[in-house]
Amino acid sequence: MYQLSGQLISTASAKRSLNVHGMLLMKRFAYGRSDVVVLCFSIANPNSLNHVKTTWYQEIKHFCPRTPVILVGCQLDLRYADLEAVNRARRPLARPIKRGDILPPERGREVAKELGIPYYETSVFDQFGIKDVFDNAIRAALISRRHLQFWKSYLKKVKKPLLQAPFLPPKAPPPVIKIPECPVPSTNEAGYLLDSPLCADVMFVLQEQSHIFAHKIYLATSSSKFYDLFLMECEESPDLTEMQYNKEHISRDFLSRRNDDIDEATLKMSDAKLPTPESDGTLKTLELKAEDTSSATKALSSWGKGFVSMHKKIQVNPISNRMCPVTVVKMDSSVQAGPFKTVLQFLYTGQLNESEKDLTKLAQIAEILEVFDLRMMVENIMNKEAFMNEEITKAFHVRKANRIKECLCKGTFSDVTFKLDDGSINAHKPLLICSCEWMSAMFGGSFVESSNSEVLLLTINKTSMQAVLDYLYTKQLSSSQELDTLELIALANRFCLPHLVALAEQHAVQELTKASMNDIAIDGDVLSYLEFAQIIRNILRDTAGRLCGT
Ligand SMILES: Nc1nc2c(ncn2[C@@H]2O[C@H](COP(=O)(O)OP(=O)(O)OP(=O)(O)O)[C@@H](O)[C@H]2O)c(=O)[nH]1
């Protein structure tokens, strides 16, 4: 056992209080009598590390060439700190610390290696490394005395300065995920879809001459009457799969020749005959032989007021010019086109077109079709209580959302099947067109998927796709046990759905936090997320580089 005593002299603080001569004297005094020099720099100030090499080490070697030196990187906690908060807490005129200023431990170690001295890091705030510095400074000082005969035997067992155990960084707070605003409900798009009826699967015939195209999924999820009607049709009418198959063939032929005169031979081959075009050109009907393409007509007059009959047939869609199977619903003469269209607009959007003039007629048709909330809205307007209609619209959307969820779950009224890596899911093109630009481009344009009833997405698994569809239908993230959130994030990115990406990221953070609180190892998962983020960052950098020509 030996007793040690010592004195600390800070050369840097002395600098400010002394003149040049005094400084020189102080340095001679301090360095001359020192047993060890602890050379400090701040890990948040790269200049201070530069000065270690260019100034301080040379000065030490000048004044006390034999004295051992150890290098210490101070303020280690700043490497892991929230620098914004640190800068806010500093003196107002202090130079703000930037993330780029923070030196990694390797930089200090490199300099120490170059100078041939030990390296340590400390944090006064975290009380880390201070004992290491003192213990090892003492070791260095004692060892440097070994050459003296007197000390030799005493100091035989003193170890050389040891390597410092690594600092265990504090647990990072969970990342803050900024959720972008939820895309506005697709009310406007739905209204637009009625006016421009892509993928329509119903055609109403009114007063024998007006035709209005619509979408079963929009009607059935907002009106029980239509839900019952189309469900009855699904259950009763013969399967049109064969007809659909023919349709896809005919459709391609028809489209490929649409701009030229249609080759009569082709039409004969496909058992089709071209009708006389309507004068306004809005409704191009390519009637096929009834026994091939039309289902038996079902009389509806006893089923519901206002309805006459219903059958299925192949019809050219007025927007895409593609042939599609549609359900033709004939309405009786009491149902006029104008108010009926307003009823449909309500069923698509939950809103009543204020410009509708014939409110009495509208109320009658709403009554006939059992759209009671619309009838109530009309009454409110007539009673000058239109302000109450907002609540009706809200309730309408809640009910509709629940029915939509049910239709996705059961695949009712679906018109497209996604074939996936491990199964398939039935979905509804009209809803997808209105809720996602990616889907709208795929089904609403000239891509082959717009006329096919199957879409192959064989690299995507069913659970992830189900989560994407759930989101598109409900604007909410529904997670299941099997859901791989990382895959969902990738898929949401692929479908250009930033709101879903953020919801999935938030879900991932919540799940990882929960797991780590339950002492479940999450390192592997976290590394997968980091690796994925790195890949995305690289892709973005390369793409940005290519766009900017760098
Ligand atoms: N974050 C952090 N700040 C520290 C740490 N050690 C010192 N500081 C801060 O650094 C500043 C300077 O600390 P000092 O101990 O006065 O440093 P010095 O090198 O002795 O400075 P002089 O006395 O001017 O020579 C003060 O604002 C301290 O609060 C640390 O471990 N972590």
Side-chain angles (χ1 to χ4, degrees):
M1 279 285 270
Y2 22 73
Q3 211 173 13
L4 296 167
S5 64
Q7 188 183 2
L8 284 174
I9 303 176
S10 164
T11 50
S13 358
K15 218 182 197 172
R16 285 188 286 278
S17 53
L18 296 170
N19 60 22
V20 179
H21 183 64
M23 191 63 202
L24 194 68
L25 281 177
M26 188 283 294
K27 278 184 181 174
R28 271 190 209 291
F29 171 77
Y31 286 131
R33 307 183 69 206
S34 63
D35 297 306
V36 60
V37 179
V38 179
L39 177 48
C40 299
F41 70 95
S42 165
I43 67 117
N45 183 350
N47 270 341
S48 68
L49 181 61
N50 290 340
H51 292 155
V52 164
K53 273 202 309 190
T54 55
T55 312
W56 296 110
Y57 191 72
Q58 288 175 17
E59 186 176 290
I60 294 163
K61 285 293 131 184
H62 171 76
F63 285 105
C64 48
R66 286 178 199 284
T67 310
V69 183
I70 66 172
L71 182 62
V72 178
C74 301
Q75 305 185 336
L76 153 72
D77 52 286
L78 292 180
R79 201 175 277 143
Y80 307 98
D82 170 0
L83 290 184
E84 269 182 37
V86 170
N87 286 328
R88 272 198 304 274
R90 277 156 64 92
R91 281 177 289 122
L93 293 179
R95 191 179 65 88
I97 302 168
K98 297 190 212 97
R99 184 55 60 198
D101 291 341
I102 306 289
L103 298 167
E106 294 75 37
R107 291 285 300 282
R109 242 175 259 139
E110 273 164 26
V111 172
K113 196 171 168 196
E114 211 178 298
L115 303 177
I117 57 180
Y119 178 64
Y120 299 93
E121 290 195 338
T122 61
S123 164
V124 174
F125 283 2
D126 286 338
Q127 286 295 300
F128 174 83
I130 296 153
K131 187 167 182 316
D132 291 329
V133 168
F134 279 95
D135 286 354
N136 290 298
I138 292 166
R139 284 196 180 102
L142 293 176
I143 282 182
S144 74
R145 295 195 167 195
R146 267 196 197 147
H147 66 279
L148 300 171
Q149 197 57 41
F150 174 75
W151 290 106
K152 212 170 194 170
S153 54
Y154 282 111
L155 301 178
K156 216 160 86 186
K157 287 192 180 154
V158 175
K159 290 183 199 141
K160 281 189 187 164
L162 305 175
L163 276 182
Q164 188 179 24
F167 175 69
L168 190 64
K171 263 194 187 164
V176 179
I177 309 285
K178 213 172 151 221
I179 309 275
E181 248 179 62
C182 179
V184 262
S186 51
T187 312
N188 291 342
E189 285 87 344
Y192 179 73
L193 195 66
L194 178 63
D195 293 333
S196 173
L198 270 171
C199 308
D201 51 4
V202 193
M203 184 177 82
F204 291 98
V205 180
L206 298 124
Q207 298 178 325
E208 300 294 336
Q209 39 153 4
S210 289
H211 298 91
I212 297 177
F213 285 84
H215 307 84
K216 283 181 198 166
I217 186 69
Y218 273 105
L219 303 179
T221 50
S222 41
S223 142
S224 306
K225 194 79 187 163
F226 283 118
Y227 182 87
D228 293 345
L229 177 69
F230 299 132
L231 203 62
M232 175 172 70
E233 183 208 19
C234 288
E235 285 161 2
E236 287 182 9
S237 76
D239 187 10
L240 278 195
T241 318
E242 190 62 25
M243 180 168 141
Q244 228 159 309
Y245 173 80
N246 288 337
K247 177 233 21 172
E248 275 167 18
H249 279 70
I250 298 164
S251 173
R252 270 176 226 138
D253 284 346
F254 179 70
L255 274 174
S256 63
R257 292 159 197 275
R258 197 160 61 80
N259 295 328
D260 317 320
D261 280 341
I262 295 179
D263 181 348
E264 256 184 59
T266 314
L267 291 172
K268 270 182 201 147
M269 265 167 58
S270 55
D271 270 349
K273 64 181 169 52
L274 196 65
T276 334
E278 298 282 320
S279 55
D280 64 355
T282 50
L283 180 67
K284 300 185 188 86
T285 323
L286 192 67
E287 297 260 4
L288 302 178
K289 273 190 180 170
E291 64 268 25
D292 288 342
T293 60
S294 291
S295 64
T297 301
K298 182 172 177 62
L300 295 175
S301 24
S302 58
W303 177 80
K305 257 166 105 188
F307 292 88
V308 175
S309 67
M310 165 172 80
H311 68 280
K312 259 190 172 163
K313 77 169 185 178
I314 297 289
Q315 178 76 38
V316 177
N317 182 289
I319 304 300
S320 66
N321 281 315
R322 289 175 190 275
M323 297 181 65
C324 315
V326 294
T327 300
V328 180
V329 182
K330 272 197 187 155
M331 306 303 290
D332 76 16
S333 56
S334 65
V335 181
Q336 291 163 2
F340 183 74
K341 184 88 190 259
T342 307
V343 173
L344 294 192
Q345 259 159 4
F346 170 77
L347 294 179
Y348 274 60
T349 63
Q351 280 158 3
L352 171 56
N353 186 353
E354 301 277 332
S355 63
E356 179 59 47
K357 298 204 176 66
D358 197 347
L359 289 177
T360 320
K361 190 78 207 159
L362 180 62
Q364 274 169 14
I365 297 182
E367 175 88 37
I368 290 173
L369 298 177
E370 297 175 19
V371 186
F372 299 119
D373 30 10
L374 176 61
R375 202 198 53 190
M376 217 184 314
M377 274 180 147
V378 174
E379 261 172 39
N380 286 341
I381 294 178
M382 288 170 158
N383 297 339
K384 309 241 175 305
E385 288 172 340
F387 62 90
M388 281 157 69
N389 289 351
E390 225 171 86
E391 285 307 309
I392 298 180
T393 299
K394 270 190 207 158
F396 166 91
H397 283 301
V398 172
R399 258 196 329 270
K400 189 174 177 78
N402 288 333
R403 290 206 183 132
I404 283 179
K405 253 190 259 177
E406 191 190 313
C407 286
L408 174 64
C409 185
K410 295 184 182 162
T412 329
F413 313 123
S414 83
D415 55 357
V416 62
T417 303
F418 290 104
K419 294 272 174 200
L420 306 156
D421 178 34
D422 52 352
S424 57
I425 305 178
N426 292 328
H428 309 82
K429 286 184 188 177
L431 285 177
L432 297 176
I433 287 176
C434 288
S435 54
C436 167
E437 286 182 21
W438 196 94
M439 296 281 181
S440 170
M442 179 164 74
F443 293 129
S446 53
F447 290 113
V448 66
E449 286 81 359
S450 62
S451 59
N452 285 358
S453 52
E454 267 186 18
V455 175
L456 300 187
L457 295 173
L458 297 177
T459 52
I460 298 175
N461 74 39
K462 197 173 162 186
T463 322
S464 307
M465 189 66 187
Q466 185 74 52
V468 170
L469 293 178
D470 280 348
Y471 167 77
L472 291 179
Y473 282 48
T474 63
K475 292 288 171 278
Q476 280 165 2
L477 173 66
S478 56
S479 69
S480 65
Q481 284 248 306
E482 310 88 66
L483 180 67
D484 179 341
T485 317
L486 192 56
E487 264 195 54
L488 177 60
I489 294 173
L491 197 55
N493 266 307
R494 186 168 158 189
F495 289 142
C496 309
L497 300 167
H499 184 242
L500 177 59
V501 172
L503 290 180
E505 285 174 349
Q506 192 185 49
H507 174 70
V509 170
Q510 282 164 355
E511 289 297 298
L512 290 172
T513 313
K514 221 191 298 168
S516 88
M517 274 162 59
N518 291 336
D519 284 337
I520 299 170
I522 57 167
D523 301 4
D525 290 336
V526 172
L527 284 177
S528 309
Y529 282 107
L530 290 175
E531 200 180 359
F532 176 69
Q534 185 68 40
I535 292 170
I536 298 288
R537 218 171 290 137
N538 289 347
I539 293 173
L540 288 177
R541 200 194 45 219
D542 291 353
T543 316
R546 241 174 278 138
L547 289 177
C548 305
T550 54

